[in-house]
């Protein structure tokens, strides 16, 4: 019986590199971000209106004491597309006052080129939650109480100066097995932490599970991710008319752009920051959501946040309409901590 030919097929050989590329997880990347701290003015209600709830007849002005008290000086993290910090990077409308979303897939390195471009005399820095860093890249001005060690090199970035932070998205930065495929963390300035976050120096980091990320770092199994931060900014030393009960820096429905299409899988990352009054309970009308995966999954339409905390929940957007999205704490509703999201046909 003749032996079967074992000659190789040249065409198959040509396809081999492609097959290997498809089978292999994407190589770890180094992702560069150019971010500056800058002075700005922020309007928590640019329309001047309550765009969601109008118990009296129109015009639906922002109620007192905030009617004419919703625009204040802020300091914010602004992202640029280039190393010269000339071209600002576009940012989704719904991200509001927050700094840019810093993304990584587990295994990636994040390099943040940070410049303090404020006109003030204060130093600022960038401190990440969740990612791995050395002391120099901690971005926090603290001495070691036990060893007496000094703050790291990136602890103070004076106006006019820059620092390059190197942060690693290692396995422990990514989602655990019972969590969704991407995970949210805070970053913020950390010298006079409360004063600086209250000025607006805060933003999100999203880490996607290894092998589950698109090229831009977003999770492949989700159509749209939203980040919503619940934070009562105190702009007038505790006076009521300076307490901005905001979602991403907007009050009374002025947060716009939370729009998805019917059938999309939507991931909501919720965060809180602030003081003991910043216990928030984001509540979605119109749809329930799922936190966790597999046996850790729970169905809910309200999540519980404390300062510094984060919770991620997934929604199947199959109920078209425009739905209320608000903090469920009674005082916070009165102060305008709400907006709407929309599921289009
Ligand atoms: Cu609240």
């Amino acid at each position: 019986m003749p032996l079967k030919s074992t000659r190789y097929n040249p065409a198959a050989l040509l396809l081999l590199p492609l097959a290997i590329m498809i089978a292999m997880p994407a190589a770890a990347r180094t992702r560069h971000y150019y971010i500056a701290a800058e002075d700005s003015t922020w309007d928590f209600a640019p329309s001047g209106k309550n765009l969601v709830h109008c118990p009296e007849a129109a015009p639906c002005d922002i109620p007192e004491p905030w009617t004419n008290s919703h625009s204040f000086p802020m300091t914010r993290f602004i992202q640029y597309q280039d190393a010269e910090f000339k071209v600002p990077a576009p940012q989704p409308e719904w991200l509001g006052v927050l700094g840019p979303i810093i993304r990584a897939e587990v295994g990636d390195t994040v390099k943040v080129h940070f410049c303090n471009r404020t006109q003030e005399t204060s130093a600022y820095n960038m401190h990440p939650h969740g990612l791995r860093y050395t002391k120099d890249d901690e971005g926090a001005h603290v001495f070691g109480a036990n060893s007496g060690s000094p703050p790291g090199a990136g602890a103070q970035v004076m106006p006019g100066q820059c620092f390059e932070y190197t942060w690693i998205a290692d396995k422990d930065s990514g989602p655990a097995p019972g969590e969704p495929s991407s995970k949210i963390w805070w970053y913020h300035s950390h010298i006079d932490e409360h004063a600086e976050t209250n000025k607006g120096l805060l933003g999100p980091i999203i880490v996607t599970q290894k092998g589950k990320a698109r090229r831009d770092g977003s999770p492949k199994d989700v159509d749209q991710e939203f980040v919503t931060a619940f934070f009562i900014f105190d702009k007038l030393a505790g006076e009521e008319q300076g307490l901005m009960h905001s979602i991403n820096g907007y009050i009374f429905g002025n947060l716009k752009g939370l729009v998805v299409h019917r059938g999309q899988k939507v991931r909501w990352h919720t965060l809180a920051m602030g003081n003991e009054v910043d216990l928030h309970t984001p509540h979605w009308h119109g749809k329930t959501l799922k936190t966790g995966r597999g046996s850790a999954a729970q169905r809910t339409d309200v999540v519980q946040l404390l300062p510094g905390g984060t919770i991620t929940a997934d929604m199947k957007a199959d109920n078209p309409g425009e739905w209320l999205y608000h903090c469920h704490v009674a005082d916070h509703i009165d102060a305008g901590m709400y907006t709407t999201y929309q599921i289009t046909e």
Side-chain angles (χ1 to χ4, degrees):
M1 201 170 108
L3 285 171
K4 199 175 170 186
S5 170
T6 54
R7 276 191 308 154
Y8 69 89
N9 179 340
L13 199 64
L14 283 172
L15 290 172
L16 194 61
L18 184 66
I20 290 170
M21 272 171 66
I22 291 168
M24 276 171 50
R29 291 188 162 83
T30 299
R31 299 178 189 269
H32 294 266
Y33 288 86
Y34 304 97
I35 298 175
E38 295 186 6
D39 304 312
S40 70
T41 299
W42 185 256
D43 193 340
F44 289 82
S47 73
K49 303 287 179 197
N50 183 342
L51 298 176
V52 170
H53 185 55
C54 196
E56 309 294 328
C60 220
D61 291 332
I62 303 286
E64 291 293 355
W66 305 285
T67 311
N68 296 305
S69 179
H70 49 79
S71 190
F72 298 97
M74 300 280 275
T75 311
R76 297 177 54 214
F77 288 125
I78 308 292
Q79 184 184 9
Y80 287 84
Q81 298 183 29
D82 57 305
E84 284 75 44
F85 290 75
K86 285 190 174 141
V87 186
Q91 181 151 308
E93 182 184 23
W94 51 261
L95 198 53
V97 76
L98 298 181
I101 299 172
I102 294 176
R103 286 191 181 276
E105 179 178 1
V106 168
D108 288 350
T109 298
V110 174
K111 286 198 177 280
V112 176
H113 308 259
F114 170 64
C115 292
N116 181 347
R117 303 218 298 183
T118 63
Q119 303 300 310
E120 309 167 31
T121 52
S122 319
Y124 293 121
N125 56 25
M126 288 182 74
H127 167 66
H129 292 211
L131 301 179
R132 188 183 184 93
Y133 43 77
T134 65
K135 192 73 192 165
D136 282 343
D137 296 300
E138 183 185 10
H141 192 271
V142 286
F143 293 88
N146 291 294
S147 66
S149 63
Q156 290 198 94
V157 182
M158 297 303 292
Q161 292 185 344
C162 301
F163 187 82
E164 185 185 292
Y165 294 102
T166 300
W167 301 334
I168 311 293
D170 70 357
K171 191 167 74 61
D172 294 344
S173 306
E179 294 185 287
S181 59
S182 60
K183 186 164 180 63
I184 187 116
W185 305 98
W186 274 117
Y187 65 84
H188 55 85
S189 189
H190 204 317
I191 298 171
D192 185 354
E193 193 271 347
H194 178 220
E196 291 156 2
T197 52
N198 191 48
K199 281 181 175 180
L201 288 168
L202 70 177
I205 296 167
I206 300 177
V207 180
T208 300
Q209 199 180 326
K210 185 150 191 69
K212 294 283 176 72
R214 299 187 184 94
R215 198 177 168 76
D216 69 358
S218 64
K220 288 177 191 167
D221 60 341
V222 171
D223 298 308
Q224 173 71 52
E225 280 183 299
F226 290 129
V227 175
T228 52
F230 291 72
F231 185 8
I232 305 172
F233 288 94
D234 176 3
K235 305 313 290 182
L236 293 171
E239 284 181 55
E240 189 68 19
Q241 69 256 40
L243 297 179
M244 300 288 114
H245 292 61
S246 74
I247 310 173
N248 291 1
Y250 288 117
I251 57 175
F252 293 103
N254 283 263
L255 169 55
K256 293 182 179 180
L258 299 172
V259 180
V260 294
H261 304 302
R262 180 182 199 155
Q264 285 190 319
K265 188 175 174 191
V266 186
R267 179 159 295 161
W268 294 81
H269 298 289
T270 66
L271 313 86
M273 191 57 89
N275 224 316
E276 70 271 25
V277 290
D278 284 283
L279 43 98
H280 302 293
T281 49
H283 169 48
W284 294 261
H285 286 212
K287 270 303 296 184
T288 62
L289 300 91
K290 201 174 73 172
T291 58
R293 289 196 303 184
S295 59
Q298 287 187 26
R299 192 74 65 184
T300 186
D301 63 5
V302 178
V303 295
Q304 294 88 38
L305 291 170
L306 291 171
T310 69
I311 295 176
T312 293
D314 284 348
M315 171 189 284
K316 188 162 190 285
D318 61 2
N319 190 17
E322 185 159 6
W323 306 109
L324 190 62
Y325 178 47
H326 67 98
C327 177
H328 222 297
V329 176
D331 285 351
H332 300 181
I333 300 173
D334 292 345
M337 203 169 221
Y338 50 74
T339 190
T340 62
Y341 74 96
Q342 188 182 7
I343 302 172
T344 63
E345 281 287 3

